[in-house]
C-alpha cells in the first residue's frame, strides 16, 4: 500500500513539474526567433486593404489577396519596399500568436526591384479569431521588421 502511494505521489509530482516547466518556463521560448523591436501590431487590417508601414525611413507596402484572408486557401502576399537599398532575397516566417500552430516559411520571389511575391496557405484554427505574426527575413537572417494580421472564422 505504501509503495502504491509513493508511486502515485511520484507520478503526480512529475506531472505537476512538467506543467510548471511547460507553461511558465518555456512559454516565452517556444519560438526560436528573436523578438522584433519593430513589430507592427494590427495598425492596419490586411483583410480590408493593403497596408503601408514606415520602418527605418523606408515605406513597406504589404498586400494579401484575395480579401478577406482565409485559412486553408492559397493567399498571394506581396511586399514592395520603397528604399535606396536593393533587396534580393526575402522570406517570411509566419506563426500564430494566440495559438502556436507551427512555423511556416514563405519564399518570396522577386518580380521587380524591391517587389516580392509569394503564396501562403494558413492553418485553420478552432478559435474565432486567429492572430498571426510574420517576421521578415533577408538572406535567411531575421530582420527587425515584422507585422501582424488576423484571420476570422467564417
Amino acid at each position: 500500500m505504501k509503495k502504491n502511494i509513493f508511486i502515485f505521489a511520484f507520478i503526480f509530482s512529475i506531472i505537476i513539474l512538467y506543467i510548471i516547466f511547460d507553461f511558465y518556463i518555456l512559454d516565452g521560448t517556444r519560438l526560436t526567433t528573436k523578438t522584433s523591436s519593430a513589430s507592427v501590431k494590427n495598425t492596419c487590417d490586411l483583410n480590408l486593404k493593403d497596408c503601408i508601414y514606415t520602418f527605418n525611413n523606408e515605406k513597406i507596402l504589404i498586400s494579401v489577396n484575395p480579401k478577406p484572408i482565409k485559412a486553408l486557401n492559397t493567399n498571394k502576399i506581396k511586399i514592395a519596399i520603397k528604399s535606396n537599398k536593393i533587396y534580393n532575397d526575402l522570406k517570411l516566417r509566419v506563426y500564430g500568436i494566440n495559438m502556436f500552430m507551427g512555423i511556416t516559411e514563405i519564399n518570396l520571389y522577386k518580380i521587380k526591384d524591391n517587389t516580392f511575391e509569394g503564396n501562403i496557405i494558413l492553418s485553420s484554427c478552432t478559435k474565432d479569431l486567429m492572430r498571426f505574426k510574420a517576421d521578415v527575413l533577408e538572406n535567411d537572417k531575421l530582420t527587425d521588421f515584422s507585422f501582424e494580421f488576423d484571420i476570422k472564422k467564417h
Side-chain angles (χ1 to χ4, degrees):
M1 183 69 176
K2 286 185 181 184
K3 185 178 179 181
N4 289 341
I5 292 174
F6 175 75
I7 291 171
F8 177 74
F10 180 74
I11 291 172
F12 184 74
S13 39
I14 294 294
I15 291 171
I16 295 298
L17 287 172
Y18 169 77
I19 290 170
I20 290 170
F21 186 75
D22 189 45
F23 291 102
Y24 294 102
I25 296 174
L26 289 181
D27 191 47
T29 61
R30 288 181 194 221
L31 299 174
T32 58
T33 59
K34 74 178 184 180
T35 304
S36 175
S37 58
S39 179
V40 181
K41 296 184 190 260
N42 289 23
T43 56
C44 179
D45 190 352
L46 282 168
N47 286 289
L48 302 175
K49 62 180 182 172
D50 298 345
C51 297
I52 299 173
Y53 303 107
T54 301
F55 175 71
N56 286 345
N57 297 321
E58 298 175 338
K59 296 276 187 203
I60 302 169
L61 169 78
I62 301 192
S63 63
V64 180
N65 288 302
K67 292 179 183 8
I69 305 168
K70 293 184 180 175
L72 302 178
N73 288 341
T74 300
N75 299 283
K76 184 173 288 288
I77 187 159
K78 182 177 178 182
I79 297 179
I81 305 168
K82 186 176 178 185
S83 172
N84 293 330
K85 178 181 176 183
I86 301 297
Y87 292 91
N88 290 308
D89 182 24
L90 291 184
K91 289 182 182 177
L92 290 179
R93 181 178 294 156
V94 180
Y95 50 92
I97 294 176
N98 56 337
M99 177 183 281
F100 183 72
M101 299 170 56
I103 299 172
T104 304
E105 281 205 1
I106 298 126
N107 292 317
L108 298 174
Y109 301 97
K110 192 171 192 172
I111 56 173
K112 62 181 182 179
D113 282 348
N114 287 352
T115 303
F116 299 84
E117 278 186 349
N119 291 320
I120 180 172
I121 300 173
L122 296 162
S123 304
S124 182
C125 182
T126 58
K127 294 183 179 252
D128 289 335
L129 180 86
M130 181 66 194
R131 177 153 298 153
F132 287 93
K133 183 173 182 179
D135 294 328
V136 178
L137 288 82
E138 181 184 11
N139 299 319
D140 291 321
K141 292 186 173 58
L142 199 58
T143 66
D144 284 334
F145 180 74
S146 63
F147 59 95
E148 296 179 7
F149 58 95
D150 295 333
I151 293 183
K152 295 176 182 140
K153 195 173 184 179
H154 297 280

